Coordinates of all heavy atoms in Angstrom, one line a residue:
M1 N 105.3 107.0 86.5 CA 105.8 105.5 86.6 C 105.2 104.9 87.9 O 105.5 105.6 88.9 CB 107.3 105.5 86.6 CG 107.8 104.2 86.7 SD 107.7 103.1 85.3 CE 109.1 103.8 84.2
L2 N 104.5 103.9 87.8 CA 103.9 103.3 89.0 C 104.8 102.1 89.4 O 105.2 101.3 88.6 CB 102.5 102.8 88.6 CG 101.8 102.0 89.7 CD1 101.5 102.9 90.9 CD2 100.5 101.2 89.2
S3 N 105.1 102.2 90.6 CA 106.0 101.2 91.3 C 105.2 99.9 91.7 O 104.2 100.2 92.5 CB 106.7 101.8 92.5 OG 107.4 100.7 93.1
V4 N 105.6 98.8 91.2 CA 104.9 97.4 91.7 C 106.0 96.6 92.1 O 106.9 96.2 91.3 CB 104.1 96.9 90.5 CG1 103.5 95.5 90.9 CG2 103.0 97.8 90.0
S5 N 105.9 96.1 93.4 CA 106.9 95.3 94.0 C 106.2 93.9 94.3 O 105.3 94.0 95.1 CB 107.5 95.9 95.2 OG 108.1 97.1 94.9
V6 N 106.8 92.8 93.9 CA 106.4 91.6 94.2 C 107.4 91.0 95.3 O 108.7 90.9 95.1 CB 106.4 90.6 93.0 CG1 105.9 89.2 93.4 CG2 105.5 91.2 91.9
C7 N 106.9 90.6 96.4 CA 107.7 90.1 97.5 C 108.2 88.7 97.1 O 107.5 87.8 96.7 CB 106.9 89.9 98.8 SG 107.8 89.4 100.2
V8 N 109.5 88.5 97.3 CA 110.2 87.2 97.0 C 110.9 86.8 98.3 O 111.7 85.9 98.2 CB 111.2 87.4 95.8 CG1 110.4 87.5 94.5 CG2 112.2 88.3 96.0
G9 N 110.5 87.4 99.4 CA 110.8 86.7 100.7 C 110.5 85.3 100.8 O 109.6 84.8 100.1
S10 N 111.1 84.6 101.8 CA 110.9 83.1 101.8 C 109.5 82.7 101.9 O 108.9 81.8 101.3 CB 111.8 82.6 103.0 OG 111.4 83.1 104.1
S11 N 108.6 83.4 102.7 CA 107.3 83.0 103.0 C 106.5 83.2 101.6 O 105.6 82.4 101.3 CB 106.6 83.9 104.0 OG 105.4 83.5 104.3
C12 N 106.6 84.3 100.9 CA 105.9 84.6 99.7 C 106.5 83.6 98.6 O 105.8 83.3 97.8 CB 106.1 86.0 99.3 SG 105.1 87.0 100.4
H13 N 107.8 83.4 98.6 CA 108.4 82.7 97.6 C 107.8 81.2 97.5 O 107.5 80.7 96.6 CB 109.9 82.5 97.9 CG 110.7 81.6 96.9 ND1 110.9 81.9 95.7 CD2 111.1 80.3 97.0 CE1 111.5 80.9 95.0 NE2 111.5 79.9 95.9
V14 N 107.5 80.6 98.7 CA 107.1 79.3 98.8 C 105.6 79.2 98.3 O 104.9 78.2 98.2 CB 107.1 78.5 100.1 CG1 108.6 78.5 100.5 CG2 106.3 79.4 101.2
R15 N 104.9 80.5 98.2 CA 103.6 80.6 97.7 C 103.6 81.3 96.3 O 102.7 81.9 95.9 CB 102.9 81.5 98.7 CG 102.8 81.0 100.2 CD 102.1 81.9 101.0 NE 102.1 81.5 102.4 CZ 101.6 82.1 103.4 NH1 101.1 83.4 103.3 NH2 101.7 81.6 104.6
N16 N 104.5 80.7 95.5 CA 104.5 81.1 94.1 C 104.8 82.5 93.6 O 104.4 82.9 92.7 CB 103.2 80.6 93.5 CG 103.2 79.1 93.3 OD1 104.2 78.5 93.0 ND2 102.0 78.5 93.6
S17 N 105.5 83.2 94.5 CA 105.7 84.6 94.1 C 106.6 84.8 92.8 O 106.4 85.8 92.0 CB 106.2 85.6 95.3 OG 107.6 85.1 95.5
R18 N 107.4 83.9 92.6 CA 108.2 83.9 91.2 C 107.3 83.8 90.1 O 107.5 84.5 89.1 CB 109.2 82.8 91.2 CG 110.5 83.1 92.0 CD 111.4 84.2 91.5 NE 112.4 84.5 92.4 CZ 113.3 85.6 92.2 NH1 113.1 86.4 91.2 NH2 114.3 85.8 93.1
R19 N 106.2 83.0 90.2 CA 105.4 82.9 89.1 C 104.4 84.2 88.9 O 104.0 84.6 87.9 CB 104.5 81.6 89.3 CG 105.1 80.3 89.1 CD 104.2 79.1 89.1 NE 103.4 79.2 87.8 CZ 102.6 78.2 87.4 NH1 102.3 77.2 88.3 NH2 101.8 78.4 86.3
I20 N 104.2 84.8 90.1 CA 103.5 86.0 90.1 C 104.3 87.0 89.2 O 103.8 87.8 88.4 CB 103.3 86.6 91.4 CG1 102.2 85.7 92.2 CG2 102.7 88.1 91.5 CD1 102.0 86.0 93.6
I21 N 105.7 87.1 89.5 CA 106.4 88.1 88.7 C 106.3 87.8 87.2 O 106.1 88.7 86.4 CB 107.9 88.0 89.1 CG1 108.1 88.5 90.6 CG2 108.8 88.7 88.2 CD1 109.5 88.4 91.1
D22 N 106.5 86.5 86.8 CA 106.5 86.2 85.4 C 105.0 86.5 84.7 O 105.0 87.0 83.7 CB 106.8 84.7 85.2 CG 108.2 84.3 85.7 OD1 109.0 85.2 85.7 OD2 108.5 83.1 85.9
E23 N 104.1 86.1 85.4 CA 102.7 86.2 84.9 C 102.2 87.7 84.9 O 101.6 88.2 84.1 CB 101.7 85.3 85.5 CG 102.2 83.8 85.2 CD 101.3 82.7 85.8 OE1 100.1 82.9 86.0 OE2 101.9 81.7 86.0
L24 N 102.7 88.4 86.0 CA 102.4 89.8 86.0 C 103.1 90.6 84.9 O 102.6 91.5 84.3 CB 102.8 90.3 87.4 CG 102.4 91.8 87.8 CD1 101.0 92.0 87.6 CD2 102.8 92.1 89.2
Q25 N 104.4 90.3 84.7 CA 105.1 90.9 83.6 C 104.5 90.7 82.4 O 104.3 91.5 81.5 CB 106.6 90.2 83.6 CG 107.5 91.0 82.8 CD 109.0 90.6 83.1 OE1 109.1 89.3 83.3 NE2 109.9 91.5 83.2
E26 N 103.9 89.5 82.0 CA 103.2 89.2 80.7 C 101.9 89.9 80.6 O 101.6 90.5 79.6 CB 103.0 87.6 80.6 CG 102.3 87.2 79.4 CD 103.1 87.7 78.2 OE1 104.4 87.7 78.2 OE2 102.6 88.1 77.1
A27 N 101.2 90.2 81.8 CA 100.0 90.7 81.8 C 100.2 92.3 81.5 O 99.4 92.9 80.7 CB 99.3 90.5 83.0
I28 N 101.3 92.9 82.0 CA 101.6 94.2 81.8 C 102.0 94.4 80.4 O 101.5 95.4 79.7 CB 102.8 94.7 82.8 CG1 102.2 94.6 84.2 CG2 103.4 96.0 82.3 CD1 103.3 94.8 85.3
R29 N 102.8 93.6 79.9 CA 103.3 93.7 78.6 C 102.2 93.6 77.5 O 102.2 94.3 76.6 CB 104.3 92.5 78.3 CG 105.0 92.5 76.9 CD 106.2 91.5 76.8 NE 107.2 91.7 77.8 CZ 107.8 90.8 78.5 NH1 107.5 89.4 78.2 NH2 108.7 91.0 79.4
S30 N 101.3 92.6 77.8 CA 100.2 92.4 76.8 C 99.3 93.7 76.7 O 98.6 93.8 75.7 CB 99.4 91.2 77.1 OG 98.7 91.4 78.4
R31 N 99.3 94.5 77.6 CA 98.5 95.8 77.7 C 99.4 96.9 77.4 O 98.9 98.1 77.4 CB 97.9 95.9 79.0 CG 96.8 95.0 79.3 CD 96.5 94.9 80.9 NE 95.3 94.1 81.1 CZ 95.5 92.9 81.1 NH1 96.5 92.2 80.8 NH2 94.3 92.1 81.4
N32 N 100.7 96.7 76.9 CA 101.6 97.7 76.5 C 101.8 98.8 77.6 O 101.8 100.0 77.4 CB 101.1 98.5 75.2 CG 100.9 97.6 74.1 OD1 102.0 96.9 73.8 ND2 100.0 97.5 73.3
L33 N 101.9 98.3 78.8 CA 102.1 99.2 79.9 C 103.5 99.2 80.4 O 103.8 99.8 81.5 CB 101.0 98.8 81.1 CG 99.6 98.9 80.7 CD1 98.8 98.5 81.9 CD2 99.2 100.4 80.4
D34 N 104.4 98.5 79.8 CA 105.8 98.3 80.2 C 106.4 99.6 80.6 O 107.1 99.6 81.7 CB 106.6 97.7 79.1 CG 106.0 96.4 78.6 OD1 104.8 96.5 78.0 OD2 106.7 95.5 78.5
A35 N 106.3 100.6 79.9 CA 106.9 101.9 80.0 C 106.4 102.7 81.3 O 106.9 103.7 81.7 CB 106.8 102.8 78.8
L36 N 105.3 102.2 81.8 CA 104.5 103.0 82.8 C 104.6 102.3 84.1 O 104.2 102.8 85.2 CB 103.0 103.1 82.5 CG 102.6 103.9 81.1 CD1 101.2 103.9 80.9 CD2 103.2 105.2 81.1
V37 N 105.0 101.0 84.1 CA 105.1 100.3 85.4 C 106.5 99.8 85.7 O 107.2 99.3 84.9 CB 104.1 99.0 85.3 CG1 104.3 98.2 86.6 CG2 102.7 99.4 85.1
D38 N 106.9 100.2 86.9 CA 108.3 99.8 87.3 C 108.2 98.5 88.2 O 107.8 98.5 89.3 CB 108.9 100.9 88.1 CG 110.3 100.5 88.7 OD1 111.0 99.5 88.1 OD2 110.7 101.1 89.7
L39 N 108.3 97.3 87.5 CA 107.9 96.1 88.3 C 109.4 95.5 88.8 O 110.3 95.5 88.0 CB 107.5 95.0 87.3 CG 107.2 93.6 87.8 CD1 106.2 93.7 88.9 CD2 106.7 92.6 86.7
R40 N 109.4 95.2 90.1 CA 110.5 94.6 90.6 C 110.3 93.7 91.7 O 109.1 93.6 92.2 CB 111.5 95.8 91.2 CG 110.7 96.6 92.4 CD 111.5 97.8 92.7 NE 111.8 98.7 91.8 CZ 112.7 99.8 92.0 NH1 113.4 99.9 93.1 NH2 112.8 100.7 90.9
A41 N 111.3 92.9 92.1 CA 111.2 92.0 93.3 C 111.7 92.6 94.5 O 112.6 93.5 94.4 CB 112.0 90.8 92.9
E42 N 111.1 92.3 95.6 CA 111.5 92.9 96.8 C 111.5 91.9 98.0 O 110.7 91.0 97.9 CB 110.5 94.1 97.2 CG 111.0 95.0 98.2 CD 110.2 96.3 98.4 OE1 110.0 96.9 97.3 OE2 109.9 96.7 99.4
F43 N 112.4 92.0 98.9 CA 112.5 91.0 99.9 C 111.6 91.5 101.2 O 111.7 92.5 101.6 CB 113.9 90.8 100.5 CG 114.6 89.9 99.5 CD1 115.5 90.4 98.7 CD2 114.4 88.6 99.5 CE1 116.2 89.6 97.7 CE2 115.0 87.8 98.6 CZ 116.0 88.4 97.7
C44 N 110.7 90.6 101.6 CA 109.7 90.7 102.8 C 109.2 92.2 102.9 O 109.8 93.1 103.3 CB 110.4 90.3 104.0 SG 109.1 90.0 105.3
L45 N 107.9 92.2 102.6 CA 107.2 93.4 102.8 C 106.6 93.6 104.2 O 105.8 94.5 104.5 CB 106.0 93.5 101.7 CG 106.5 93.6 100.3 CD1 105.4 93.3 99.4 CD2 107.2 94.8 99.9
G46 N 106.9 92.5 105.0 CA 106.5 92.7 106.5 C 105.1 92.1 106.8 O 104.5 92.4 107.8
H47 N 104.4 91.5 105.7 CA 103.1 91.0 105.9 C 103.0 89.5 105.5 O 102.1 89.1 104.9 CB 102.1 91.7 105.1 CG 101.9 93.2 105.4 ND1 100.9 93.6 106.1 CD2 102.6 94.3 105.3 CE1 100.9 94.9 106.4 NE2 102.1 95.3 105.8
C48 N 104.0 88.8 106.0 CA 104.2 87.4 105.6 C 103.0 86.5 105.7 O 102.7 85.7 104.8 CB 105.4 86.8 106.4 SG 106.9 87.7 106.4
I49 N 102.3 86.7 106.7 CA 101.1 85.8 107.0 C 100.1 86.0 105.9 O 99.2 85.1 105.6 CB 100.4 86.0 108.3 CG1 99.6 84.9 108.8 CG2 99.7 87.4 108.4 CD1 99.2 84.8 110.3
D50 N 100.0 87.2 105.2 CA 99.0 87.4 104.1 C 99.5 87.0 102.7 O 98.8 87.2 101.8 CB 98.6 88.8 104.2 CG 98.1 89.4 105.4 OD1 97.3 88.5 106.1 OD2 98.4 90.4 105.9
G51 N 100.7 86.5 102.7 CA 101.3 86.4 101.3 C 100.7 85.3 100.4 O 99.8 84.5 100.9
P52 N 101.0 85.3 99.2 CA 102.0 86.2 98.6 C 101.5 87.7 98.5 O 100.3 87.9 98.2 CB 102.3 85.5 97.2 CG 101.0 84.8 96.9 CD 100.4 84.4 98.2
N53 N 102.4 88.6 98.7 CA 102.1 90.0 98.7 C 102.7 90.7 97.5 O 103.8 90.5 97.0 CB 102.7 90.6 99.9 CG 101.8 90.0 101.2 OD1 100.7 90.2 101.3 ND2 102.7 89.4 102.1
V54 N 101.8 91.7 97.0 CA 102.4 92.7 96.0 C 102.0 94.1 96.3 O 100.9 94.3 96.8 CB 101.7 92.4 94.6 CG1 102.1 93.3 93.6 CG2 101.9 90.9 94.1
K55 N 103.1 94.9 96.3 CA 102.8 96.3 96.7 C 102.7 97.1 95.3 O 103.5 97.1 94.5 CB 104.1 96.8 97.5 CG 103.9 98.1 98.1 CD 105.3 98.5 98.8 CE 105.2 99.8 99.5 NZ 106.4 100.2 100.3
V56 N 101.5 97.8 95.3 CA 101.3 98.7 94.2 C 101.2 100.0 94.7 O 100.3 100.5 95.5 CB 99.9 98.3 93.5 CG1 99.7 99.3 92.3 CG2 99.9 96.8 93.0
G57 N 102.1 100.9 94.2 CA 102.3 102.2 94.8 C 102.6 102.0 96.4 O 103.5 101.4 96.7
N58 N 101.7 102.6 97.2 CA 102.0 102.5 98.6 C 101.0 101.3 99.4 O 101.2 101.1 100.5 CB 101.7 103.8 99.4 CG 102.8 104.8 99.0 OD1 104.0 104.4 98.9 ND2 102.4 106.1 98.8
E59 N 100.3 100.7 98.5 CA 99.4 99.7 99.0 C 99.9 98.4 98.9 O 100.3 97.9 97.9 CB 98.0 99.8 98.3 CG 96.9 98.9 98.9 CD 95.6 99.0 98.1 OE1 95.5 99.7 97.0 OE2 94.6 98.5 98.6
I60 N 99.8 97.6 100.0 CA 100.2 96.1 99.9 C 99.0 95.2 99.7 O 98.0 95.4 100.6 CB 101.0 95.8 101.2 CG1 102.3 96.6 101.3 CG2 101.4 94.2 101.2 CD1 103.2 96.5 102.6
L61 N 99.0 94.5 98.8 CA 97.9 93.6 98.5 C 98.3 92.1 98.7 O 99.3 91.6 98.3 CB 97.4 93.7 97.0 CG 97.0 95.1 96.7 CD1 97.1 95.4 95.2 CD2 95.6 95.4 97.1
G62 N 97.4 91.4 99.6 CA 97.8 90.0 100.0 C 97.0 89.0 99.3 O 96.1 89.3 98.6
S63 N 97.5 87.8 99.6 CA 96.8 86.6 99.0 C 96.7 86.7 97.4 O 95.6 86.3 96.9 CB 95.4 86.3 99.6 OG 95.6 86.2 101.0
V64 N 97.7 87.1 96.7 CA 97.6 87.4 95.3 C 97.8 86.0 94.6 O 98.7 85.3 94.9 CB 98.6 88.4 94.8 CG1 98.7 88.5 93.3 CG2 98.5 89.7 95.5
A65 N 96.8 85.8 93.6 CA 96.9 84.4 93.0 C 97.6 84.6 91.6 O 97.2 85.5 90.8 CB 95.5 83.9 92.7
H66 N 98.7 83.9 91.4 CA 99.3 84.0 90.1 C 98.5 83.8 88.8 O 98.8 84.2 87.8 CB 100.6 83.2 90.1 CG 100.5 81.7 90.0 ND1 100.2 81.1 88.9 CD2 100.4 80.8 91.0 CE1 100.0 79.7 89.1 NE2 100.2 79.6 90.4
E67 N 97.4 82.9 89.1 CA 96.6 82.5 88.0 C 95.7 83.7 87.5 O 95.1 83.7 86.5 CB 95.7 81.4 88.4 CG 96.3 80.2 88.8 CD 96.5 80.2 90.4 OE1 96.5 81.2 90.9 OE2 96.7 79.1 90.9
A68 N 95.7 84.8 88.3 CA 94.7 85.9 88.0 C 95.4 87.2 87.8 O 94.9 88.3 88.1 CB 93.7 86.0 89.2
M69 N 96.5 87.2 87.1 CA 97.3 88.4 86.9 C 96.6 89.4 85.9 O 96.8 90.6 86.0 CB 98.7 88.1 86.4 CG 99.5 87.5 87.5 SD 99.8 88.7 88.9 CE 98.6 88.1 90.1
D70 N 95.9 88.9 85.0 CA 95.2 89.8 84.0 C 94.1 90.6 84.9 O 94.0 91.8 84.8 CB 94.5 89.1 83.0 CG 95.4 88.5 81.9 OD1 96.2 89.2 81.5 OD2 95.3 87.4 81.4
D71 N 93.4 89.9 85.7 CA 92.4 90.6 86.5 C 93.0 91.5 87.6 O 92.6 92.7 87.8 CB 91.6 89.6 87.3 CG 90.6 88.8 86.5 OD1 90.5 89.1 85.3 OD2 90.2 87.7 86.9
F72 N 94.2 91.2 88.1 CA 95.0 92.0 89.0 C 95.4 93.2 88.3 O 95.3 94.3 88.9 CB 96.2 91.2 89.4 CG 96.9 91.9 90.5 CD1 96.7 91.8 91.9 CD2 98.1 92.8 90.2 CE1 97.4 92.4 92.9 CE2 98.8 93.4 91.2 CZ 98.4 93.2 92.5
V73 N 95.9 93.2 87.2 CA 96.3 94.4 86.4 C 95.2 95.3 86.3 O 95.2 96.6 86.4 CB 97.1 94.1 85.1 CG1 97.3 95.3 84.3 CG2 98.5 93.4 85.3
D74 N 94.1 94.6 85.8 CA 92.9 95.5 85.5 C 92.3 96.2 86.7 O 91.8 97.2 86.7 CB 91.8 94.6 84.8 CG 92.2 94.3 83.3 OD1 93.0 94.9 82.8 OD2 91.6 93.3 82.8
A75 N 92.3 95.5 87.9 CA 91.7 96.0 89.0 C 92.7 96.9 89.8 O 92.2 97.9 90.5 CB 91.4 94.8 89.9
H76 N 93.9 96.7 89.8 CA 94.9 97.5 90.7 C 95.9 98.3 90.1 O 96.5 99.2 90.7 CB 95.5 96.5 91.7 CG 94.6 95.6 92.5 ND1 93.9 96.2 93.5 CD2 94.2 94.3 92.5 CE1 93.1 95.3 94.1 NE2 93.4 94.1 93.3
I77 N 96.2 98.1 88.8 CA 97.3 98.8 88.2 C 96.6 99.9 87.2 O 97.0 101.0 87.3 CB 98.3 97.9 87.4 CG1 98.9 97.1 88.5 CG2 99.2 98.5 86.5 CD1 100.0 96.1 88.1
V78 N 95.8 99.3 86.3 CA 95.2 100.3 85.3 C 94.5 101.5 86.0 O 94.7 102.7 85.5 CB 94.3 99.5 84.3 CG1 93.5 100.5 83.4 CG2 95.1 98.5 83.4
P79 N 93.7 101.3 87.0 CA 93.1 102.4 87.5 C 93.9 103.4 88.1 O 93.7 104.7 88.0 CB 92.1 101.9 88.7 CG 91.9 100.4 88.3 CD 93.1 100.1 87.6
R80 N 95.2 103.0 88.7 CA 96.0 104.0 89.2 C 96.8 104.7 88.1 O 97.2 105.8 88.3 CB 97.1 103.2 90.0 CG 96.6 102.8 91.4 CD 97.5 101.8 92.1 NE 96.9 101.0 93.2 CZ 97.0 101.5 94.4 NH1 97.6 102.6 94.6 NH2 96.4 100.8 95.4
L81 N 97.1 104.0 87.1 CA 97.7 104.8 85.9 C 96.7 105.8 85.3 O 97.1 106.8 84.8 CB 98.0 103.7 84.8 CG 99.1 102.8 85.2 CD1 99.4 101.7 84.1 CD2 100.5 103.5 85.4
E82 N 95.4 105.5 85.3 CA 94.4 106.4 84.8 C 94.1 107.6 85.8 O 93.6 108.6 85.3 CB 93.2 105.6 84.5 CG 93.4 104.7 83.2 CD 92.1 103.8 83.1 OE1 91.3 103.7 83.8 OE2 92.0 103.3 81.9
G83 N 94.3 107.1 87.1 CA 93.8 108.2 88.0 C 94.8 109.3 88.2 O 94.6 110.4 88.7
Ligands
LIG101 S1 108.1 87.1 102.9 FE1 106.6 88.2 101.7 S2 105.8 89.6 103.2 FE2 107.4 88.5 104.3

């Protein structure tokens, strides 16, 4: 199970992190990866200036665009599940 946390702290929240959760969930579901990914919201990952932030495993990725969740899953989640 791969842990994926979307920051919903105030700084990331104002940068659309709620939409990231919704669209990331949809991108994961469309690839039938629901059972392999533990998607959750988390308060402040400590990198506010780089937000919105998403933590995949132990890596924090910044400036995540909610419009690009399909690409995000393919680039950052699928390789970790395969590796
Ligand atoms: S509010 Fe998201 S990293 Fe601080």
Side-chain angles (χ1 to χ4, degrees):
M1 181 72 81
L2 178 64
S3 173
V4 177
S5 300
V6 178
C7 181
V8 294
S10 56
S11 180
C12 291
H13 177 75
V14 298
R15 298 177 186 173
N16 284 320
S17 62
R18 284 287 175 187
R19 289 191 69 179
I20 290 175
I21 292 175
D22 292 342
E23 295 180 28
L24 187 53
Q25 194 166 38
E26 182 55 37
I28 290 168
R29 186 176 297 140
S30 71
R31 287 162 176 74
N32 294 317
L33 299 175
D34 312 56
L36 302 175
V37 177
D38 178 21
L39 178 63
R40 60 180 64 191
E42 194 165 315
F43 283 102
C44 196
L45 296 170
H47 293 260
C48 309
I49 199 164
D50 299 323
N53 293 300
V54 178
K55 187 175 180 183
V56 180
N58 292 322
E59 184 179 9
I60 296 175
L61 301 157
S63 301
V64 176
H66 68 82
E67 303 92 339
M69 288 298 97
D70 286 318
D71 292 341
F72 185 90
V73 170
D74 291 339
H76 300 292
I77 293 179
V78 170
R80 287 168 190 266
L81 292 171
E82 292 174 344

